[in-house]
Amino acid sequence: MDLCVKNRDTDFDRIRAAAPEKEPARQQYFIEADRAYFTAEFERALATGEALSRYGKECLENLQKNGRIGTANVVTFGCQMNARDSEKLLGILEEIGFQEWESEEADFVLYNTCTVRDNANQKVYGRLGYLRTMKRKHPRMLIGLCGCMMQESAVIEKIRKSYSHVDLIFGTHNIFKLAEILFERIAQGNMVVDIWESAKEIVEDLPIERKYPFKSGVNIMFGCNNFCSYCIVPYVRGRERSREPEEILEEIRRLAADGVIEVMLLGQNVNSYGKNLREPISFAALLRRVSEIEGIRRIRFMTSHPKDLSEELIEVMRDCDKVCAHLHLPLQSGSSRILKKMNRKYTKEDYLSLVERIRAAVPDISLTTDIIVGFPGETEEDFQETLDVIRRVRFDSAFTFQYSIRQGTPAATMEQVAEDVVKERFDRLLKEVQQIAGEVCSRHTGTVQGALVESLDDHLDGYVTGRLENNTIVHFPGDQTLIGSIVQVYLEESRGFYYMGRVADKESLEK
Ligand code: 5AD
Ligand code: SF4
């Protein structure tokens, strides 16, 4: 098949008509078609002096040297699931021939959006304004939007009306289709919008560009069935779907063979993993099987819903060395009355008793959480209940959020708390959380712990940054050669939320 476009009017139709029906072959085909198109564009630009990459001669020469046809910048907003999706998007773009680019001065800018709180949406609109100015200077740059925010029809309407400089829009269910959607944009010459209401198929086996060679996220399920009354996720990510265990294990085996030593199993509610599979399996059983994979040394998971956290999982966390001693367990509120209105299906007492059982099994576990203040109807008394849980549990860290109205969720129509009251409670909560976290996080000072070295230190020359099993960061003297290995580090000094340390010598190891 000749994928070259010489005649705009006929060739696009011809190329499209010859595309295979089946995935992932169809997307592979469009990757080739896009590559042919952008290669021709790039060569034409080089020949005419009108650079496809309009960001300087040096950049152009660099691309040419690397055999690349343009630059692509993928910006991730939101959670770990989005970060993983961005790796898939970047994988496709690199296969087409783009070079990853760190700034938005690129030929293709793609925002992978989040909509969990309104400020996430506002950030995207703000940056789209900035991109408008850039595109005026460089009219042939391409701008794409995808992810959760795009699943809301009000957002699409607004973008069509006020941000017509956007070139392509797709949602959460069809990110695998990037190459085809890009092809359509080129062929049609104007904005392409492709949003699916629900997931039709899960397409695997497309290229992925992992951010780190030694650690990786792994999706074990998609979507959420919980419908917490404040949350938009079930509406934009759809119903819960678990991947088959064999598929997950095979992916992790491949990652391990490729040098990955740490995996993070990802899902909105991993504790209900596997319940709806033809042959049901529990999350704890999946963890056990992952831990049998040779080469994998650390296993993490996100996110756990307290209502579904089983005794079996607590046992696996206790017994399995590879499962990291860290649990992110969103509390949301400490008031049983508010938890009921949130549709969380546990009480304050249930949560506290769960924490007690976890700590009895894994005494040194690091606990982190999410908390929302100012949920509709929250009184000072309710808020005091939240503070009470915080003081009792003493979290290693807590992500704190002001309640944000999400249209279409049940809580949006409930009576709201005044903004100044929410703000004032938020400040009090943050202060408390930070003070406790500062005290709690320093508890390992003077001990030796394994740290997976992730990068050179951003601020200190001659230092590297590592992550302890309990997710705390440590900075210590070291060089490039340590990246990707687990090093025994002596934790010299706690600086609030991170440590300064040094590679453990024999003496401190023996202590
Ligand atoms: N307002 C504020 N915070 C929210 N979260 C989810 N929805 C909202 C909302 N409408 C928070 C919850 C969740 C985290 C990912 O985001 O705490 O655990
Ligand atoms: Fe949202 Fe609740 Fe599902 Fe978490 S469990 S994604 S908060 S609905």
Side-chain angles (χ1 to χ4, degrees):
M1 179 73 197
D2 176 14
L3 293 169
C4 282
V5 176
K6 292 188 194 89
N7 180 344
R8 269 196 92 86
D9 293 335
T10 52
D11 285 345
F12 284 122
D13 290 342
R14 174 181 56 80
I15 294 169
R16 187 189 293 116
E21 287 286 312
K22 269 197 133 142
E23 299 292 4
R26 187 175 172 87
Q27 295 314 312
Q28 287 294 356
Y29 174 89
F30 280 111
I31 286 174
E32 297 299 325
D34 289 344
R35 188 190 304 147
Y37 174 82
F38 283 108
T39 305
E41 278 282 283
F42 189 65
E43 278 162 8
R44 189 182 61 77
L46 280 175
T48 59
E50 180 226 337
L52 174 69
S53 169
R54 292 147 296 266
Y55 307 102
K57 198 161 161 272
E58 205 179 307
C59 168
L60 199 67
E61 283 170 1
N62 212 351
L63 289 174
Q64 202 179 8
K65 200 175 75 202
N66 297 337
R68 309 270 81 194
I69 48 79
T71 52
N73 175 233
V74 179
V75 183
T76 310
F77 297 83
C79 66
Q80 306 270 355
M81 307 277 279
N82 266 17
R84 181 65 177 156
D85 284 350
S86 290
E87 293 185 341
K88 296 180 182 171
L89 294 163
L90 193 62
I92 295 170
L93 289 173
E94 293 208 335
E95 194 82 357
I96 291 171
F98 286 98
Q99 175 162 325
E100 183 183 10
W101 208 243
E102 292 303 323
S103 84
E104 282 144 305
E105 296 217 330
D107 296 310
F108 186 15
V109 175
L110 179 59
Y111 287 168
N112 187 7
T113 64
C114 166
T115 186
V116 75
R117 287 169 294 277
D118 189 51
N119 53 9
N121 292 38
Q122 295 313 322
K123 240 189 255 168
V124 169
Y125 290 130
R127 285 172 83 153
L128 277 180
Y130 161 68
L131 288 187
R132 191 202 316 269
T133 333
M134 279 183 61
K135 194 160 176 170
R136 277 203 192 113
K137 272 196 262 165
H138 305 296
R140 294 178 65 189
M141 94 184 265
L142 290 167
I143 300 171
L145 297 174
C146 65
C148 295
M149 194 177 150
M150 300 306 126
Q151 295 291 139
E152 292 176 88
S153 48
V155 169
I156 302 294
E157 245 169 74
K158 183 166 171 163
I159 293 171
R160 279 191 201 274
K161 217 160 89 198
S162 314
Y163 299 89
S164 55
H165 57 295
V166 171
D167 294 283
L168 44 129
I169 301 180
F170 50 106
T172 53
H173 302 301
N174 56 348
I175 66 155
F176 70 89
K177 257 187 89 178
L178 170 59
E180 183 173 349
I181 296 168
L182 183 57
F183 178 84
E184 282 306 324
R185 165 62 186 80
I186 303 161
Q188 293 177 25
N190 47 30
M191 187 194 282
V192 174
V193 180
D194 188 358
I195 308 288
W196 294 3
E197 282 300 307
S198 59
K200 295 179 201 155
E201 53 189 329
I202 300 176
V203 179
E204 311 271 351
D205 292 332
L206 281 167
I208 300 186
E209 182 57 35
R210 287 199 322 272
K211 194 167 171 206
Y212 298 98
F214 49 85
K215 70 171 189 175
S216 178
V218 175
N219 295 113
I220 62 165
M221 60 201 299
F222 302 93
C224 180
N225 285 353
N226 289 314
F227 290 94
C228 300
S229 64
Y230 51 81
C231 185
I232 202 164
V233 168
Y235 305 88
V236 296
R237 285 262 172 194
R239 291 299 68 71
E240 196 175 288
R241 303 169 306 282
S242 295
R243 288 176 69 198
E244 289 293 336
E246 249 332 299
E247 263 175 39
I248 297 168
L249 295 167
E250 193 43 44
E251 178 176 341
I252 300 176
R253 279 184 214 116
R254 275 200 308 261
L255 287 169
D258 204 23
V260 166
I261 59 172
E262 177 177 307
V263 286
M264 163 89 87
L265 308 183
L266 297 170
Q268 301 294 349
N269 176 15
V270 292
N271 297 323
S272 70
Y273 169 78
K275 287 188 181 151
N276 300 323
L277 285 173
R278 235 174 312 131
E279 281 179 48
I281 164 174
S282 67
F283 177 57
L286 178 76
L287 265 184
R288 272 207 191 92
R289 294 188 58 191
V290 174
S291 73
E292 285 160 9
I293 297 177
E294 215 175 302
I296 296 298
R297 296 179 59 193
R298 280 181 169 182
I299 305 167
R300 302 183 184 278
F301 53 88
M302 271 262 234
T303 288
S304 288
H305 194 307
K307 81 176 164 64
D308 295 315
L309 202 144
S310 65
E311 293 305 315
E312 190 194 4
L313 178 62
I314 298 178
E315 281 164 26
V316 173
M317 294 193 71
R318 180 192 64 199
D319 299 339
C320 181
D321 284 345
K322 290 185 182 179
V323 177
C324 290
H326 169 220
L327 183 66
H328 186 67
L329 194 62
L331 165 69
Q332 313 298 8
S333 168
S335 154
S336 298
R337 195 182 73 85
I338 294 293
L339 285 169
K340 192 157 188 352
K341 286 177 71 180
M342 286 178 162
N343 194 29
R344 291 289 289 177
K345 303 201 170 74
Y346 55 85
T347 63
K348 174 187 181 185
E349 289 70 31
D350 293 335
Y351 189 94
L352 287 171
S353 122
L354 179 60
V355 166
E356 216 169 275
R357 278 176 283 138
I358 293 167
R359 284 215 165 119
V362 190
D364 201 26
I365 195 162
S366 149
L367 289 175
T368 56
T369 199
D370 292 343
I371 297 163
I372 299 175
V373 277
F375 181 85
E378 185 190 73
T379 62
E380 177 61 26
E381 259 173 20
D382 294 317
F383 178 64
Q384 286 299 331
E385 298 275 4
T386 299
L387 288 181
D388 184 46
V389 176
I390 293 204
R391 288 174 192 141
R392 290 205 210 182
V393 176
R394 296 177 66 75
F395 294 102
D396 282 71
S397 80
F399 297 101
T400 51
F401 307 109
Q402 299 184 29
Y403 168 73
S404 167
I405 297 181
R406 306 319 286 135
Q407 290 308 335
T409 62
T413 54
M414 297 177 188
E415 198 176 329
Q416 307 293 315
V417 180
E419 218 173 284
D420 54 336
V421 175
V422 179
K423 178 85 186 57
E424 190 270 337
R425 280 183 199 157
F426 179 81
D427 291 344
R428 272 192 283 158
L429 175 73
L430 193 64
K431 212 169 134 209
E432 193 89 23
V433 160
Q434 286 183 340
Q435 191 191 328
I436 295 173
E439 291 162 17
V440 171
C441 285
S442 65
R443 70 184 180 282
H444 292 115
T445 312
T447 67
V448 173
Q449 309 265 336
L452 172 55
V453 182
E454 295 191 343
S455 59
L456 292 177
D457 196 308
D458 286 341
H459 302 290
L460 277 175
D461 267 355
Y463 277 66
V464 290
T465 299
R467 194 177 291 274
L468 305 181
E469 190 194 322
N470 75 6
N471 215 30
T472 312
I473 292 291
V474 56
H475 305 282
F476 61 96
D479 61 26
Q480 189 87 32
T481 58
L482 296 179
I483 294 178
S485 50
I486 296 179
V487 177
Q488 295 301 313
V489 179
Y490 176 74
L491 307 177
E492 261 170 343
E493 185 195 344
S494 162
R495 300 231 178 121
F497 306 104
Y498 64 92
Y499 288 103
M500 298 306 294
R502 62 178 153 79
V503 177
D505 44 40
K506 231 169 144 243
E507 278 155 53
S508 46
L509 275 174
E510 278 159 9
K511 257 191 221 164

